[in-house]
Amino acid sequence: MYFAGLDVGARYTKTLIIDGDARVLSKKMSTSGFDNNIISKNLLNNLCMELGITLEEINKIGVTGCGKKNIDFANYEFSETMVAAKSVFFFNKNVRTIIEVGAEESRVVKLNSDGRIIDSVINEKCAAGTGTFVELMARTLEITLKDFSELSMKSEKKIPMNAHCIVFAESEVVSLIHSGVDKKDIVRAVNDAIASRIASMARRVKVEAEVALIGGLAKNSGFVFSLKNNLELDNIVIPDDPEYMGAFGAALLTREL
Amino acid sequence: MIVHYGYLDASGEYFITVDDSKCSVCIEKGCIKACPKSIFMESENDYGEKVMMVKDEVRKMLKYICAECKPSVNRPPLPCVTACPYDAITHSW
């Protein structure tokens, strides 16, 4: 039995195949591009080739993400909130708050002890507090995303920064560069700004431990550190593949239908 | 399930919050008719309950769309909140 999960995000499309026991057999991601349908199908075909199966042998396909409506070969569609809850609770039954930071939207989902969603809030309007913010700042600072994460951890200086607008924040970063502020301190300021943005949204649903962080930004250790400080948490649970949790949740839900 | 529809931006937080556990028991969904801007619709949530939702296309414009019901002085009770017999709707601003 094979079940596929697709997460067609604003920036990247993630896809994976699980078996009947919910073991991940293969996974792949690529930029979402212009035609989500073709890119998703190609990704899935590549996964099938790796496993030595055909697309027809996949029993069911579930899709989520902001581009889910563009996928014409999926059997089921799921909300992003639902797949986040499903996948995180599958790995850790103690999680009560899920924070997801994607490329262009962030969301916070609160669960009860049965894994049922009891509260949820999404911010899909403002780019401040999303992965795109980090990508833009890394470009402005001429560093890679990997360096962005590592440099932040080396900084011991806090610089307050505008967290409310990606455009103003960029010009503020340029000002800091011209003032001769160390790159690592600017990187930390950016991570702190995003964390404060996410934390203020998370407080709407009243953060309750344990807290899990998923989405691509969970790989930025500097941001994780800033978020922990802002929410005054000792620990944040991060799954092994935080960017694949949406796709995994879609596959899990598909398996149950 | 409590759902916050809306956004936060540099000017503030603009969320309409709906408590699905209260909303799902309401048959009338009087809020849908009460809204002068028709921003609500009835649909199924993730758990198959029939609830009121804020339409996708207005979620990023609530500050401006709801402005008509929110004058800066002598604000009257909001029609959607008044129409809800279960106190399932709240506005954050």
Side-chain angles (χ1 to χ4, degrees), chain A:
Chain A
M1 298 276 275
Y2 300 104
F3 303 95
L6 282 165
D7 179 3
V8 187
R11 187 94 170 84
Y12 290 97
T13 294
K14 288 76 66 179
T15 177
L16 52 74
I17 294 176
I18 62 170
D19 64 12
D21 297 322
R23 282 178 304 202
V24 177
L25 303 175
S26 191
K27 59 181 188 290
K28 242 183 184 56
M29 68 193 279
S30 139
T31 49
S32 290
F34 188 74
D35 193 329
N36 300 152
N37 200 46
I38 290 177
I39 284 169
S40 302
K41 200 170 241 176
N42 286 345
L43 272 174
L44 211 47
N45 272 322
N46 286 340
L47 288 186
C48 288
M49 270 163 55
E50 271 181 17
L51 295 173
I53 60 172
T54 63
L55 200 56
E56 289 69 37
E57 284 178 76
I58 295 177
N59 298 65
K60 287 172 198 163
I61 300 169
V63 65
T64 184
C66 63
K68 59 179 178 279
K69 299 275 178 212
N70 300 332
I71 308 303
D72 64 10
F73 58 90
N75 304 95
Y76 305 106
E77 269 181 29
F78 304 106
S79 74
E80 294 86 320
T81 323
M82 196 66 185
V83 294
K86 185 73 190 173
S87 58
V88 172
F89 199 73
F90 181 84
F91 282 117
N92 190 331
K93 304 273 187 284
N94 297 320
V95 169
R96 294 292 173 268
T97 312
I98 303 167
I99 299 175
E100 181 176 10
V101 189
E104 288 188 5
E105 58 183 42
S106 42
R107 71 176 52 79
V108 183
V109 182
K110 210 164 156 192
L111 307 177
N112 67 9
S113 56
D114 299 323
R116 190 182 162 98
I117 301 166
I118 50 171
D119 208 338
S120 70
V121 59
I122 305 170
N123 188 22
E124 51 186 348
K125 184 183 182 186
C126 187
T130 65
T132 303
F133 189 97
V134 172
E135 285 191 356
L136 180 72
M137 295 305 147
R139 217 159 44 224
T140 309
L141 290 164
E142 296 177 342
I143 54 174
T144 63
L145 289 174
K146 190 169 177 286
D147 290 342
F148 201 94
S149 169
E150 288 166 3
L151 272 176
S152 183
M153 298 303 288
K154 289 177 186 163
S155 168
E156 287 172 359
K157 200 171 168 187
K158 276 189 119 177
I159 303 169
M161 212 182 102
N162 178 353
H164 293 302
C165 177
I166 194 166
V167 180
F168 291 130
E170 188 183 17
S171 72
E172 206 168 328
V173 166
V174 173
S175 300
L176 290 172
I177 294 169
H178 292 160
S179 311
V181 176
D182 201 307
K183 207 175 257 190
K184 64 178 186 294
D185 296 328
I186 301 176
V187 172
R188 179 174 176 180
V190 171
N191 278 328
D192 283 346
I194 300 169
S196 96
R197 190 81 173 153
I198 302 287
S200 82
M201 188 171 75
R203 287 193 190 96
R204 280 197 70 78
V205 301
K206 295 184 183 69
V207 175
E208 194 183 326
E210 292 185 16
V211 176
L213 178 64
I214 61 171
L217 220 60
K219 290 193 157 182
N220 175 347
S221 52
F223 166 70
V224 177
F225 178 76
S226 297
L227 190 63
K228 264 190 217 170
N229 282 346
N230 205 306
L231 291 173
E232 295 172 358
L233 294 168
D234 296 327
N235 184 43
I236 289 182
V237 178
I238 300 174
D240 286 342
D241 291 308
E243 70 275 44
Y244 280 97
M245 294 308 277
F248 184 62
L252 281 180
L253 286 164
T254 301
R255 187 183 67 132
E256 290 175 5
L257 292 170

